[in-house]
Amino acid sequence: MTILSNDNITVSSSYVRFSDLTINVNATISISSGAQIRAWLAGVTTSLVLNGTINGSGQLVNDSRLNLSGSGTFASSIKVWVANVLNINSMTLEFANEFKLNSNCYINTGSNVTFSGTVFSTSAVNRLINVGTLTISTSNFFTTGSGNASQILECNNYNPSNSNVIYTISGELPVSQDGFHDLTINGTVTSSSNFNITGNFTNSGSFSSLN
């Protein structure tokens, strides 16, 4: 299904399912509060090519594996529920509201993903795997829910030469379970955990170890 340029589709209640959805440039899907759009097709990897905008205050849910790509945006009030494997492919994207991890999420090479809302997992066995650029602009990064960053975040296992983490705020650094390849800090940052860096460490703020 394709949402054409200048079209505006509203999901006002309950949910709408899709298997392959393309949202063209200047096209919009508006999801009302309490409503959802759900990627679902049994046994199949679904796709969302987002070149327009998803706005409103509802939720995107992937019940099936989902490949997410394109040049578009999510509104700051949209919530995301990763209920199955999510691949973010070559996107520059910000998640500014609730991001719930109930499976694995891959930030793949060429992607630049910013989290500025609340990020949490329903289980410590879920994984957020970064082989692109991950910018953490929230203090609510795996501080609630089940499992913390040192259990869930992976940055150095799959293709570490492309993995970059940027921590833009002040506070306790969320440490990946396998360390970092490239790490940049921009605030006044502390760490009470040991971690390794296999690439470059850029300190544009200040860093102190509490360990």
Side-chain angles (χ1 to χ4, degrees), residues 139-210:
S139 59
N140 298 313
F141 189 79
F142 297 116
T143 58
T144 59
S146 298
N148 55 38
S150 65
Q151 296 170 301
I152 294 167
L153 181 62
E154 293 186 15
C155 297
N156 220 15
N157 278 338
Y158 287 80
N159 191 357
S161 63
N162 295 313
S163 178
N164 181 28
V165 174
I166 303 170
Y167 191 62
T168 65
I169 62 172
S170 298
E172 175 80 11
L173 178 70
V175 173
S176 168
Q177 66 162 263
D178 55 350
F180 302 97
H181 183 66
D182 293 339
L183 173 64
T184 298
I185 60 171
N186 292 329
T188 301
V189 178
T190 60
S191 178
S192 55
S193 303
N194 294 323
F195 59 90
N196 66 297
I197 298 172
T198 58
N200 298 316
F201 176 50
T202 303
N203 184 358
S204 298
S206 66
F207 176 79
S208 59
S209 174
L210 304 179

Side-chain angles (χ1 to χ4, degrees), residues 50-55 71-75 91-94:
L50 176 61
N51 292 316
T53 303
I54 296 178
N55 64 23
S71 58
T73 59
F74 288 96
M91 289 196 80
T92 297
L93 196 59
E94 180 173 3

Side-chain angles (χ1 to χ4, degrees), residues 21-198:
L21 175 62
T22 298
I23 304 173
N24 283 349
V25 174
N26 296 324
T28 301
I29 289 184
S30 298
I31 312 172
S32 299
S33 178
Q36 299 171 327
I37 61 170
R38 305 183 72 112
W40 183 87
L41 191 61
V44 172
T45 298
T46 58
S47 71
L48 171 55
V49 180
L50 176 61
N51 292 316
T53 303
I54 296 178
N55 64 23
S57 53
Q59 188 176 50
L60 168 69
V61 185
N62 67 312
D63 297 304
S64 298
R65 284 177 170 262
L66 177 64
N67 291 330
L68 177 61
S69 62
S71 58
T73 59
F74 288 96
S76 61
S77 52
I78 287 292
K79 299 177 181 179
V80 176
W81 176 9
V82 181
N84 205 318
V85 175
L86 174 63
N87 284 290
I88 303 174
N89 300 322
S90 300
M91 289 196 80
T92 297
L93 196 59
E94 180 173 3
F95 298 106
N97 203 326
E98 181 181 283
F99 189 92
K100 179 168 69 172
L101 201 64
N102 197 43
S103 185
N104 294 344
C105 176
Y106 295 82
I107 301 171
N108 290 319
T109 301
S111 288
N112 189 330
V113 175
T114 298
F115 290 103
S116 56
T118 299
V119 184
F120 68 99
S121 179
T122 60
S123 171
V125 304
N126 299 326
R127 294 291 179 265
L128 176 62
I129 298 164
N130 178 52
V131 290
T133 297
L134 165 62
T135 300
I136 303 170
S137 296
T138 176
S139 59
N140 298 313
F141 189 79
F142 297 116
T143 58
T144 59
S146 298
N148 55 38
S150 65
Q151 296 170 301
I152 294 167
L153 181 62
E154 293 186 15
C155 297
N156 220 15
N157 278 338
Y158 287 80
N159 191 357
S161 63
N162 295 313
S163 178
N164 181 28
V165 174
I166 303 170
Y167 191 62
T168 65
I169 62 172
S170 298
E172 175 80 11
L173 178 70
V175 173
S176 168
Q177 66 162 263
D178 55 350
F180 302 97
H181 183 66
D182 293 339
L183 173 64
T184 298
I185 60 171
N186 292 329
T188 301
V189 178
T190 60
S191 178
S192 55
S193 303
N194 294 323
F195 59 90
N196 66 297
I197 298 172
T198 58

